[in-house]
Amino acid sequence: MTGNSYDVAVIGAGPAGLSAARTAAAAGARTICVDRYAAPGGQYYRQPADGTGGTATQRHGRALADAAWAAGAEYLPSTNVWSVSGGLRLEIIGDGRRGVIDCRAIVVASGAHERVAPFPGWTLPGVFTAGGLQALLKSCDLAVGPRVVLAGTGPLLPVVAASLARHGVRVSAVLEANRLLRRALRRPLPTLITLSGQPGRLAEAARASVSLGVRRSRLRTGWAVVAAHGQAQVQAATIARLDARSRPIPGTERMIECDAIGIHFGLVPATDLYQLLGAALEYRPDLGGQVPVLSATMQTSVPGVFGAGDGTGVGGAQLATLQGEIAGQAAAACAGGTGFPVGALTGRKRRALANAARFRGLYGELYGLPAGLDELIDASTLICRCENVSRADIDQALARGARTAASVKSLSRCGMGSCQGAMCGPVLASLVAAHPGEGRDQRGPLTARPPLQPIPIASLLGEAP
Amino acid sequence: MELIVDGQPVPARPSDTVGAALLRTGRLHWRRDLAGSPRGMFCGIGTCFDCTLTVDGNPGVRACLTRVHPGMSVETSDGSR
């Protein structure tokens, strides 16, 4: 079992993690960056298959990584943190072998994952998350197809659709559940002002529109996939128009043949590591759900534990980079026994943080969760993919008096499987909150317990894998 | 290069993940859930654990995260995780 001491350990190698590793190392801290993936970049800066070339964005990500290693940070890829013991000791596992990392300060930058919304047939092979389709494209040059339907809500939908279309996939439909124009026009002037501060995002949206437009794959607003059909894999999707409360309008259903469906309903910050470290969380639906409580210098409620990036609240790559810079500096100062006051933040950083907060507000207004789609979840539809727990099972637990997501989990096994509630957690919370009865509006996360991912017992027993 | 999947050779590019190599052959599923229904890849980023299979004798390996190497032995399973 390998063990090592560092000043700063950064978990995650996306924009936030790489920035934190760079500034921590540059400040003189002995820094290590632990990454679940085989190559740095996280999701946003996912690198091309052979590690060279790619888009300007991918090259920028490579430059971020190179800068972190040049500053002296070490990189530990294909390694997962599965537990925390004794204060700031990280229990890690990679290639079936255990190790520990002792450190004086931690920056948690493990990002967010996609929020999913169940519908009949959603567990059929061929149903992916939109981000998953994007990951396959970026990392392995693989375009799933030939006919793909994308559905859900969020700016990622047209971006992924455009990427697929450029790779020759026939994007049969891009269905955005929210009526974006209507929502944008509710407060036109603030919307315009906020968008004017986001030139990068506007450019990306424009590029996606052109790519889709020339291939006649129009984005439809106020539509959703309401069912997936197929024997052993997806062969068709039923789509329908949604009313003002995002419930499917009877009579508007039509069936489209397709080979794959990509779904996306925003991002959910990953809080399991914060929980193990004892950091206080708060419920912020505008940021994607449960997030750590952070100071202006990215410190959590636990001394020595800092956070940065989408895992602290969904905000995109630029904000993540900025937060990472701050967290890395603060963590290095903490490891060195000195403080890092708010006053150390430059005016540029403060303005950038304020800009990001405005955009988050707009994002929430445009891409709110289409709650009416919960109606699609019929009794036999699975909520928990890992343990095969259906809506009927959840309803039964609620009928038996369960009032919290935790107690529904205890009764039904929802959230007890390999993914530990990453997929079903938000859906479960929504169903519990919506159930009539007192005291059911419980938004707390499902309790995280080690191991955070399944690990081989052989590794715990000290046997060779 | 080639992987051996359930005893059969499957082509793969050096930078593929096991999942990508399987998808590239047109195979969308390689696992059975608790009800015996087919499962393949879902989230693609290592969060959902739908895509697990046995690699070089190690079970529960996420196909979407695991880069291939020449001669890798892959077993897909029915009913187990």
Side-chain angles (χ1 to χ4, degrees):
Chain A
M1 194 166 88
T2 61
N4 253 313
S5 279
Y6 289 85
D7 294 319
V8 175
V10 178
I11 316 303
L18 291 175
S19 303
R22 177 178 62 81
T23 59
R30 184 161 181 240
T31 306
I32 185 166
C33 181
V34 183
D35 188 9
R36 166 201 295 179
Y37 302 112
Q43 306 313 323
Y44 191 79
Y45 290 127
R46 248 178 204 273
Q47 293 299 303
D50 61 0
T52 66
T55 63
T57 302
Q58 287 173 309
R59 287 196 298 275
H60 183 79
R62 221 156 36 243
L64 255 185
D66 291 341
W69 319 146
E74 291 172 40
Y75 181 53
L76 188 58
S78 300
T79 301
N80 289 274
V81 177
W82 64 272
S83 187
V84 175
S85 53
L88 295 186
R89 163 172 281 202
L90 298 171
E91 305 273 352
I92 59 174
I93 188 156
D95 264 338
R97 271 182 297 278
R98 277 178 63 204
V100 293
I101 293 178
D102 288 307
C103 53
R104 298 176 201 262
I106 295 176
V107 178
V108 181
S110 41
H113 51 263
E114 279 169 286
R115 185 173 183 138
V116 299
F119 51 86
W122 77 300
T123 53
L124 274 173
V127 179
F128 297 79
T129 60
L133 292 176
Q134 181 82 308
L136 284 166
L137 264 174
K138 285 185 183 178
S139 289
C140 301
D141 218 23
L142 173 64
V144 174
R147 299 161 301 178
V148 176
V149 170
L150 292 167
T153 184
L156 192 68
L157 285 175
V159 168
V160 174
S163 293
L164 288 168
R166 285 184 214 120
H167 275 74
V169 171
R170 168 88 197 111
V171 180
S172 312
V174 188
L175 306 176
E176 162 61 62
N178 283 300
R179 285 182 178 74
L180 299 180
L181 195 56
R182 202 170 295 186
R183 286 175 167 245
L185 290 176
R186 277 185 204 161
R187 302 190 318 130
L189 194 55
T191 299
L192 264 175
I193 293 173
T194 303
L195 285 176
S196 67
Q198 301 288 331
R201 284 191 164 105
L202 286 174
E204 192 168 31
R207 268 197 304 275
S209 299
V210 168
S211 289
L212 293 177
V214 302
R215 293 171 181 84
R216 306 186 30 205
S217 294
R218 207 163 50 94
L219 181 139
R220 291 191 210 222
T221 60
W223 281 78
V225 164
V226 300
H229 312 282
Q231 271 291 84
Q233 57 197 56
V234 171
Q235 287 162 313
T238 298
I239 68 173
R241 199 150 184 277
L242 304 178
D243 65 18
R245 285 166 53 189
S246 61
R247 296 170 308 183
I249 302 172
T252 65
E253 298 93 351
R254 30 182 126 148
M255 200 177 281
I256 319 182
E257 284 187 7
C258 57
D259 309 291
I261 301 172
I263 63 174
H264 176 83
F265 290 88
L267 296 173
V268 178
T271 63
D272 49 0
L273 199 44
Y274 288 113
Q275 285 194 54
L276 288 196
L277 289 163
L281 302 177
E282 58 179 348
Y283 179 62
R284 292 283 301 273
D286 56 317
L287 299 182
Q290 294 283 332
V291 298
V293 177
L294 289 181
S295 73
T297 51
M298 313 310 297
Q299 169 145 318
T300 68
S301 62
V302 176
V305 177
F306 301 81
D310 275 358
T312 68
V314 179
Q318 269 192 333
L319 177 62
T321 303
L322 179 56
Q323 290 178 329
E325 285 176 17
I326 299 170
Q329 288 176 292
C334 176
T338 67
F340 186 77
V342 175
L345 291 180
T346 63
R348 176 187 73 88
K349 285 201 164 102
R350 282 185 236 238
R351 278 190 298 278
L353 289 170
N355 212 24
R358 262 196 303 276
F359 182 75
R360 275 170 164 171
L362 176 62
Y363 181 98
E365 284 176 30
L366 292 179
Y367 299 109
L369 208 62
L373 290 180
D374 278 2
E375 293 194 3
L376 291 173
I377 313 175
D378 64 12
S380 61
T381 300
L382 294 185
I383 303 295
C384 171
R385 299 175 67 98
C386 298
E387 296 291 310
N388 280 55
V389 179
S390 68
R391 171 127 199 208
D393 299 325
I394 307 281
D395 286 342
Q396 192 175 68
L398 289 166
R400 284 168 65 186
R403 293 191 183 287
T404 64
S407 48
V408 173
K409 173 182 173 183
S410 295
L411 290 175
S412 69
R413 289 197 61 84
C414 180
M416 286 190 183
S418 298
C419 91
Q420 289 291 285
M423 299 293 104
C424 65
V427 184
L428 177 59
S430 170
L431 291 176
V432 170
H435 198 92
E438 288 175 27
R440 290 186 201 262
D441 192 10
Q442 302 277 344
R443 309 284 187 170
L446 293 179
T447 305
R449 292 195 180 86
L452 295 183
Q453 307 91 28
I455 61 172
I457 288 189
S459 69
L460 291 170
L461 298 175
E463 295 164 7
Chain B
M1 68 165 80
E2 267 183 3
L3 317 174
I4 313 297
V5 179
D6 295 330
Q8 302 299 314
V10 168
R13 300 182 190 180
S15 47
D16 272 351
T17 58
V18 178
L22 291 171
L23 289 169
R24 215 185 280 287
T25 68
R27 183 170 178 179
L28 282 175
H29 54 86
W30 50 82
R31 190 174 75 85
R32 297 277 161 175
D33 68 14
L34 292 172
S37 304
R39 296 288 185 95
M41 191 183 293
F42 177 61
C43 80
I45 64 165
T47 321
C48 79
F49 288 84
D50 251 31
C51 67
T52 53
L53 29 69
T54 299
V55 171
D56 294 333
N58 298 314
V61 174
R62 286 166 277 185
C64 66
L65 292 185
T66 310
R67 286 274 287 259
V68 300
H69 62 75
M72 177 186 268
S73 158
V74 176
E75 289 153 55
T76 67
S77 55
D78 279 355
S80 58
R81 307 191 212 191

